[in-house]
Amino acid sequence: MKESIYGLTFDQLTEWLLERGHKKFRASQVWDWLYKKRVKEFSQMNNVNKDCIKLLEENFAIQTLTQEIKQESSDGTIKFLFKLQDGNVIETVLMRFHYGQSVCVTTQVGCNIGCSFCASGLLKKSRDLTSGEIVEQIMNVQHALDEKANEERVSHIVIMGIGEPFDNYDNMMDFLRIVNSQKGLCIGARHITVSTSGLAKQIYDFANEDLQVNLAISLHAPNDELRTKIMKINKAYPLGKLMPAIDYYLEKTNRRITFEYIMLRDVNDHVEEAKQLANLLADKRHLSYVNLIPYNPVDDHSYQRSEKESILAFYDTLKKNGINCVIRHENGTDIDAACGQLRSKQVKKLENAGK
Ligand code: SAH
Ligand code: SF4
């Protein structure tokens, strides 16, 4: 199996070509064909000499993902299911907003964090995605937009698909550098958000990176007892470890952080929990906001979505206590757009077919 050409940063490709006797400017040409002209075959790079094309073809693949399913929702959301070279399937979602086109990418095949409410956590991680496989998700969506010929481009990225990005840290960082590069897709760091279930160690590492990428923390509960109940990662990284990592991040970057909070009926959606949450975040309320997320029911979980009134009461309590807060608008609910849902259905179908 050849590795994806999209997995190399510009510097890595330059060095790779130099080591094989090719001129430095070839890397710029190749990147221009990949990311600006967006060709799908090396042979189309017609200002690159034959030897260089041959070398690239022998060592790299330009398409390692194949599209299995593409579902378009009435609100414009498009959901893609891709097959990887090893047969695993992953999903990617394009969401359309007034401010641009946002893509939700997957970073792992499955997820080992195993949160009790999540479809991705139902299926153990079988492997990390390579940086190339993560970049290719964006390229596939961009190619789909190119086909529509409306001059639309992917302008925003959320790393909120299947997997825990901080459990695949190095590949995720390469991915960020590649899509952010001026020579490539040039997607602004401020337009990219990475979401983590709270791996404290990597939050420190991320704070020390020289990047303006936004950080979101999946908090979902304001105290250890409840958080451990719904997210077992809280045993390894309880609030006593997580919050100091967040404080370090805020101090180091001075960037606003998002706290995600899924509203689970009668589990974490009482006014009492809203008060606790306001207390927990009181000292960082100027550099944070809370995103209240309506729960997307998953077949094998018993949780239910909170009532509208509970969500509003929760919201009001946070607001009254000076916490910035929004209720997330949902996209593509008619097509299983909650990350992990299409894939888990597909994997189950395949498993049943094999029985
Ligand atoms: N592993 C990372 C990123 C992927 S999950 C993380 O957990 O942050 C992205 C977001 O979707 C997280 O906030 C996660 O808690 C949320 N999520 C997972 N399952 C969901 C569901 N069924 N309904 C609504 N949100 C869900
Ligand atoms: Fe993994 Fe995130 Fe799902 Fe938790 S919510 S199981 S960390 S993908």
Side-chain angles (χ1 to χ4, degrees), residues 122-255:
L122 287 173
L123 305 159
K124 279 232 154 290
K125 176 181 100 174
S126 55
R127 70 171 174 89
D128 290 330
L129 293 193
T130 62
S131 50
E133 288 167 332
I134 312 176
V135 177
E136 264 192 55
Q137 295 172 57
I138 304 287
M139 292 313 298
N140 271 281
V141 175
Q142 184 60 59
H143 286 148
L145 288 175
D146 291 344
E147 276 164 25
K148 290 184 190 267
N150 297 330
E151 309 247 322
E152 289 173 318
R153 58 181 289 268
V154 174
S155 57
H156 291 67
I157 296 176
V158 289
I159 308 187
M160 293 191 183
I162 302 161
E164 167 49 55
F166 280 6
D167 183 39
N168 187 14
Y169 190 85
D170 293 341
N171 291 342
M172 178 208 69
M173 284 308 302
D174 277 349
F175 161 73
L176 291 176
R177 295 207 176 88
I178 292 165
V179 293
N180 179 231
S181 169
Q182 296 240 336
K183 295 189 168 70
L185 291 173
C186 198
I187 298 175
R190 289 156 193 266
H191 288 182
I192 305 177
T193 302
V194 46
S195 172
T196 177
S197 57
L199 305 194
K201 187 190 161 296
Q202 285 83 350
I203 293 173
Y204 287 101
D205 294 341
F206 196 64
N208 292 330
E209 304 280 359
D210 195 14
L211 262 182
Q212 310 260 315
V213 170
N214 305 305
L215 181 63
I217 306 285
S218 293
L219 193 59
H220 306 325
N223 63 63
D224 277 327
E225 195 190 339
L226 189 54
R227 194 160 190 269
T228 304
K229 223 187 253 172
I230 58 180
M231 300 175 76
K232 63 182 195 297
I233 186 71
N234 196 63
K235 279 190 203 141
Y237 293 115
L239 296 174
K241 285 192 178 153
L242 176 57
M243 298 321 271
I246 290 168
D247 287 335
Y248 177 83
Y249 174 89
L250 292 175
E251 200 172 305
K252 189 85 207 274
T253 65
N254 209 33
R255 297 189 57 74

Side-chain angles (χ1 to χ4, degrees), residues 111 113 115 117-119 159-165 195-198 216-218 220 231 260 262 293-298 328 338-339 341:
C111 183
I113 307 293
C115 301
F117 46 78
C118 173
I159 308 187
M160 293 191 183
I162 302 161
E164 167 49 55
S195 172
T196 177
S197 57
I217 306 285
S218 293
H220 306 325
M231 300 175 76
E260 294 162 279
I262 301 189
I293 308 173
Y295 175 62
N296 241 309
V298 174
R328 185 185 285 175
C339 294
Q341 297 198 341

Side-chain angles (χ1 to χ4, degrees), residues 214-325:
N214 305 305
L215 181 63
I217 306 285
S218 293
L219 193 59
H220 306 325
N223 63 63
D224 277 327
E225 195 190 339
L226 189 54
R227 194 160 190 269
T228 304
K229 223 187 253 172
I230 58 180
M231 300 175 76
K232 63 182 195 297
I233 186 71
N234 196 63
K235 279 190 203 141
Y237 293 115
L239 296 174
K241 285 192 178 153
L242 176 57
M243 298 321 271
I246 290 168
D247 287 335
Y248 177 83
Y249 174 89
L250 292 175
E251 200 172 305
K252 189 85 207 274
T253 65
N254 209 33
R255 297 189 57 74
R256 240 156 70 117
I257 214 164
T258 307
F259 290 99
E260 294 162 279
Y261 197 102
I262 301 189
M263 301 295 289
L264 303 167
R265 188 192 294 186
D266 295 332
V267 175
N268 65 354
D269 64 349
H270 311 98
V271 166
E272 177 53 30
E273 276 112 25
K275 286 183 186 157
Q276 285 180 17
L277 184 60
N279 273 335
L280 183 70
L281 304 182
D283 65 346
K284 36 190 138 289
R285 61 173 189 266
H286 301 299
L287 268 180
S288 68
Y289 72 94
V290 173
N291 208 337
L292 296 177
I293 308 173
Y295 175 62
N296 241 309
V298 174
D299 283 352
D300 295 349
H301 294 315
S302 55
Y303 295 115
Q304 286 171 321
R305 157 183 296 233
S306 294
E307 308 274 3
K308 266 216 174 75
E309 299 76 54
S310 318
I311 300 182
L312 292 174
F314 202 96
Y315 174 89
D316 283 343
T317 309
L318 289 178
K319 282 274 183 191
K320 257 186 230 137
N321 286 278
I323 305 290
N324 300 308
C325 177

